[in-house]
Amino acid sequence: MHVWINGERHELAVGASVLDALDALGAPRTGVAVAVDGEVIPRADWASARLAAAARIEVLTAVQGG
Amino acid sequence: MPTDDPLVLGGHKIASRLIMGTGGAGNLEILERALLASGTALTTVAMRRIDAASGTGVLDLLRRLGIEVLPNTAGCRTAAEAVFTARLAREALETDLVKLEVIADERTLLPDPIELLDAAEQLVDDGFTVLPYTNDDPVLARKLEGAGCAAVMPLGSPIGTGLGIRNPHNIAMIVEQTRVPVVLDAGIGTASEAAQAMELGCDAVLLATAVTRAGDPERMAHAMRLAVEAGRAAHGAGRIPRRYWATASSPDPDPGP
């Protein structure tokens, strides 16, 4: 199935989790936050939260600012 | 010399009264030298999509230097956007601190007071330690304090202008009426303005551009550190009253022979 991670299309296995999406991006598991379709997913749920086809996933971290 | 009380923001004791931003530094090496020279213990970051090239570099730097991270909601234009960004920051950085910014437009970067107060109320309810970047308006500052914010952070002048404190009397009124810490945030251009903020009774100064875009960021960071300490000490010492006419500081001359 395809999903959108930070605006780019990725192919993931059906039933993929938030952790699979992080791996697809090569993102670390600390210092990042994840939202799926506009909802923040708590870190504790990353392994269990299943992604739906065409889900829009945002992976954010701290950058220079302010 | 009396030792100064620590700055307390919610449940966080902060060892320096100079809060730094990380925006505008040419690279992380320049930023590191500036942060060390500033003596800061709390420094802002923004939340953006992770980029494979830079990864979590800023965060790694702050952790290595032992500086507490203060995520901001820069770029947010509505309460809903700011609340969402704050929740993402809490997940990513495992802190309840948030510098709440809700900006009205790109030209002035002034806070939108209505959205700001709405976001502050929601985030306080959600358990955040909310530090709102606000206009230099004593009425709005009072409402933000009433909403349960852990500090109020009025601007001296618009972000990045370096115009200093345009309305010192408003800042003095905010200091006079506010029980939580007052942090002068935005507009500082040079060291004398940071000292002025502290002399007006502010509890801390937050600045970024004045250091990161200075000709020599490390040297300016050191200057800001000294200025904040000097202004704090002068405020605590109690300045002399202003007088219209001169007052001799030496004894009267002896009578002639």
Side-chain angles (χ1 to χ4, degrees), chain A residues 4-8 22 25-46 56-66, chain B residues 20-28 31 44-52 55-56 58-59 63 69 72 74 84 87-89 91-94 99 101 206 208:
Chain A
W4 298 90
I5 308 177
N6 286 354
E8 288 188 4
L22 287 178
L25 203 60
R29 295 184 183 185
T30 57
V32 299
V34 180
V36 177
D37 296 327
E39 291 287 323
V40 181
I41 309 296
R43 186 173 294 274
D45 297 341
W46 287 357
R56 291 185 175 274
I57 303 141
E58 294 288 324
V59 182
L60 287 91
T61 190
V63 301
Q64 280 180 241
Chain B
M20 290 288 293
T22 53
N27 59 51
L28 289 182
L31 180 62
T44 69
V45 293
M47 298 301 297
R48 293 292 181 271
R49 283 176 172 175
I50 192 165
D51 159 358
T56 56
V58 179
L59 205 50
R63 296 226 158 117
V69 181
N72 68 27
F84 179 63
R87 287 180 177 149
L88 284 165
E91 277 300 310
L93 310 179
E94 299 173 69
K99 174 183 166 180
E101 288 185 56
L206 196 165

Side-chain angles (χ1 to χ4, degrees), chain B residues 19 133 136 152-157 164-165 171 182-188 193-194 196-198 200 202-207:
Chain B
I19 304 171
Y133 164 62
D136 59 355
V152 292
M153 306 208 297
L155 55 82
S157 51
I165 301 173
I171 300 298
V182 176
V183 181
L184 196 289
D185 181 3
I188 298 293
E193 294 154 1
Q196 184 192 12
M198 300 305 288
L200 286 167
C202 290
D203 296 281
V205 170
L206 196 165
L207 58 87

Side-chain angles (χ1 to χ4, degrees), chain B residues 23 32 40 72 76 119 123 126 161 166 177-178 189-190 196 207 238:
Chain B
E32 176 171 353
T40 190
N72 68 27
C76 294
L123 290 170
D126 198 6
T161 58
R166 303 310 291 179
Q177 71 176 22
T178 306
T190 188
Q196 184 192 12
L207 58 87

